[in-house]
Amino acid sequence: MTSTIVTAAILAIGDELLSGRTKDKNIGHLADVLLLSGIDLKEVRIVADEQDAIVEALNALRKRYTYVFTSGGIGPTHDDITADAVSAAFGLTCEHDAEAMRLLAEMYKRREMEFTEARQRMARMPKGARHIANPVSTAPGFIVDNVYVMAGVPQVFQAMVDNILPELQKGSHLLTRSLPCPYGEGDIGTLLGAIQKAHPETSIGSYPKYDGQRFSTELVVRARDEAKLDAAANAISDMIRGLDAARAGSNPGPEA
Amino acid sequence: MTSTIVTAAILAIGDELLSGRTKDKNIGHLADVLLLSGIDLKEVRIVADEQDAIVEALNALRKRYTYVFTSGGIGPTHDDITADAVSAAFGLTCEHDAEAMRLLAEMYKRREMEFTEARQRMARMPKGARHIANPVSTAPGFIVDNVYVMAGVPQVFQAMVDNILPELQKGSHLLTRSLPCPYGEGDIGTLLGAIQKAHPETSIGSYPKYDGQRFSTELVVRARDEAKLDAAANAISDMIRGLDAARAGSNPGPEA
């Protein structure tokens, strides 16, 4: 069995995401979509509308992962600087794209609105970039190499994600199995560590929950091979049964 | 008037945040708290439970900002590797802290629970780190230099944030004023860019909204000086009134 590993990062751009004024909706949406495509989301960054910050994050992420998806900063106002920053990161000139100008001019003519200088900013992108169609408000996103630049408005972002999805390389689906566990991490930590060591081709996550009184955990096994997933999940179920039996030991019930 | 700029980054650690299985609650909480303290949140990163990823992010962020706050990865299981990663980032040895061992041993004795090897992992931290008290479940967070390492479970994270807040340097409060604007960014972009240029000591953000039919915007002015904030906000109000008048021009109402 061969498996294809495809990785991704999300770079969300915008002061409003850092000031707490806007709760981001794009990261969660794209994380879910990537999971279904077998693409491993490995890192998320949120940066301000500052060119240096965007360039640095973009150059770090695009060299490290198969894909980088950005959101925000491609509108018509002075604080929309993503096109300039992406151009700078790739050493390309940022210019008014002829096809984008045509699409936008047509749309505004149809709507009897002026195609202002500000609106023309939305046609700017790195020279040679490919478009991402925007069925909501026309102004396209764009693709340079492995970087997909999309709008921040959630309806537009999601429409753009739908449009790029068919061209993305799919990864082998990561199989996951979730096992609720009534014991806290302190009770299971040593045993669980041993299970992880014995099943190296799986990844076992332990997520503590606290109900205000006591801790329990949710244990999640991930693997690309179903037999290996089963083996690790079975070992965890055995561990939980063993702890149940030990707890019941001094007070056996009718079936014990 | 002098103003103090205090900056911060958040580093959220955990595979579960990237797989979409857990929606992070700590970033939004801390962003709100920092805003109230006048501390500028400049960057957020979410990385997996992988030592290299944590070390690299931490070393980048701690050199760049006044404070770095981390969440997650300080529990008792094998995937809790934040203490090791922070130690590695600072070149310190990671060891069982004597005071943390004492606190945990006492707590488990009181609760008649075994102080397992897994639970002892929660006492590990970089040599010489200071504690962050954990009133919820005892196991402390810790502080090394300008890095504050806290738990991922939201109740514990929030309690730890409450405990560190008194020692953080406060920044000059960033004043903000929000102006709803019925016009889309394309209508206001050029005018707004000119206003931003004329008010360089303010930061004017433009946040587009889309109701399914048309765009409007929320305009937010930020400044540390109230007079400068007022001046920019007044210029924006004038701009909106000017657009209203232009729109009403061909069809004057009874008061026009």
Side-chain angles (χ1 to χ4, degrees), chain B residues 204-254:
Chain B
I204 303 174
S206 165
Y207 307 118
K209 295 180 176 177
Y210 182 68
D211 67 3
Q213 285 238 300
R214 48 181 295 167
F215 282 89
S216 61
T217 48
E218 187 173 9
L219 302 176
V220 178
V221 190
R222 298 182 186 85
R224 287 197 151 77
D225 180 304
E226 187 147 16
K228 285 169 183 156
L229 183 83
D230 285 340
N234 288 341
I236 290 172
S237 297
D238 288 347
M239 173 193 79
I240 295 173
R241 269 196 298 272
L243 289 166
D244 289 345
R247 186 152 291 190
S250 56
N251 178 24

Side-chain angles (χ1 to χ4, degrees), chain A residues 42 44 46 50 119 187 204, chain B residues 42 44 46 50 119 187:
Chain A
K42 300 292 283 181
V44 172
I46 307 175
E50 293 172 8
R119 292 191 168 111
D187 284 315
I204 303 174
Chain B
K42 299 292 283 181
V44 172
I46 308 176
E50 293 172 9
R119 292 190 169 113
D187 284 314

Side-chain angles (χ1 to χ4, degrees), chain B residues 17-90:
Chain B
L17 302 172
L18 294 167
S19 71
R21 89 166 5 258
T22 301
K23 301 293 177 206
D24 174 82
K25 291 176 183 159
N26 297 330
I27 295 170
H29 173 75
L30 186 50
D32 291 341
V33 168
L34 293 176
L35 192 69
L36 291 172
S37 297
I39 297 173
D40 288 353
L41 178 60
K42 299 292 283 181
E43 186 168 349
V44 172
R45 297 195 191 183
I46 308 176
V47 299
D49 298 306
E50 293 172 9
Q51 178 154 328
D52 291 351
I54 301 169
V55 169
E56 199 218 308
L58 200 61
N59 279 335
L61 297 173
R62 72 189 177 90
K63 288 167 189 162
R64 200 172 302 164
Y65 305 113
T66 315
Y67 298 115
V68 179
F69 304 99
T70 81
S71 72
I74 60 169
T77 57
H78 62 277
D79 58 347
D80 290 306
I81 61 167
T82 298
D84 298 279
V86 175
S87 301
F90 281 97

Side-chain angles (χ1 to χ4, degrees), chain A:
Chain A
M1 174 177 173
T2 61
S3 63
T4 310
I5 310 291
V6 184
T7 59
I10 298 175
L11 176 60
I13 298 163
D15 294 344
E16 72 279 18
L17 303 171
L18 294 167
S19 71
R21 89 168 3 259
T22 300
K23 301 293 177 206
D24 174 83
K25 292 175 182 162
N26 297 329
I27 295 169
H29 173 75
L30 186 51
D32 292 341
V33 167
L34 294 175
L35 192 71
L36 292 171
S37 298
I39 297 174
D40 289 352
L41 178 60
K42 300 292 283 181
E43 186 169 350
V44 172
R45 296 195 192 183
I46 307 175
V47 298
D49 298 306
E50 293 172 8
Q51 177 154 328
D52 291 350
I54 301 169
V55 169
E56 198 218 308
L58 200 61
N59 279 337
L61 297 172
R62 71 189 178 90
K63 288 166 189 164
R64 200 173 301 166
Y65 306 113
T66 315
Y67 297 116
V68 179
F69 304 99
T70 81
S71 72
I74 61 168
T77 56
H78 63 277
D79 59 346
D80 289 307
I81 60 167
T82 298
D84 298 278
V86 174
S87 302
F90 280 97
L92 296 168
T93 56
C94 188
E95 57 183 31
H96 288 84
D97 178 85
E99 174 64 7
M101 286 292 280
R102 194 186 61 74
L103 286 169
L104 286 165
E106 261 181 18
M107 183 267 288
Y108 286 115
K109 190 176 176 190
R110 203 168 54 241
R111 295 170 62 190
E112 298 181 347
M113 289 165 77
E114 195 188 345
F115 189 24
T116 58
E117 185 191 325
R119 292 191 168 111
Q120 291 177 28
R121 273 181 67 83
M122 293 189 285
R124 297 173 75 244
M125 58 182 73
K127 190 180 168 74
R130 291 190 291 133
H131 287 202
I132 301 173
N134 171 357
V136 177
S137 53
T138 307
F142 57 85
I143 306 167
V144 185
D145 196 6
N146 62 338
V147 175
Y148 292 71
V149 177
M150 296 179 282
V153 175
Q155 296 95 325
V156 182
F157 181 84
Q158 292 175 20
M160 288 182 173
V161 168
D162 292 345
N163 282 339
I164 62 172
L165 211 51
E167 81 165 64
L168 299 180
Q169 189 190 359
K170 304 292 179 287
S172 303
H173 271 279
L174 196 62
L175 306 168
T176 70
R177 193 158 312 154
S178 187
L179 299 103
C181 170
Y183 301 99
E185 291 194 313
D187 284 315
I188 60 171
T190 307
L191 295 166
L192 196 69
I195 293 173
Q196 173 69 83
K197 263 198 190 130
H199 298 83
E201 289 181 63
T202 68
S203 161
I204 303 174
S206 166
Y207 307 118
K209 294 179 176 178
Y210 181 68
D211 68 4
Q213 284 240 299
R214 47 180 296 168
F215 281 90
S216 60
T217 48
E218 188 173 7
L219 302 175
V220 178
V221 190
R222 298 183 186 86
R224 286 197 152 77
D225 180 303
E226 186 148 18
K228 285 171 182 153
L229 183 82
D230 286 341
N234 288 340
I236 290 172
S237 296
D238 289 348
M239 173 192 79
I240 295 173
R241 269 195 299 272
L243 289 166
D244 289 344
R247 185 151 293 189
S250 56
N251 179 23
E255 293 179 8

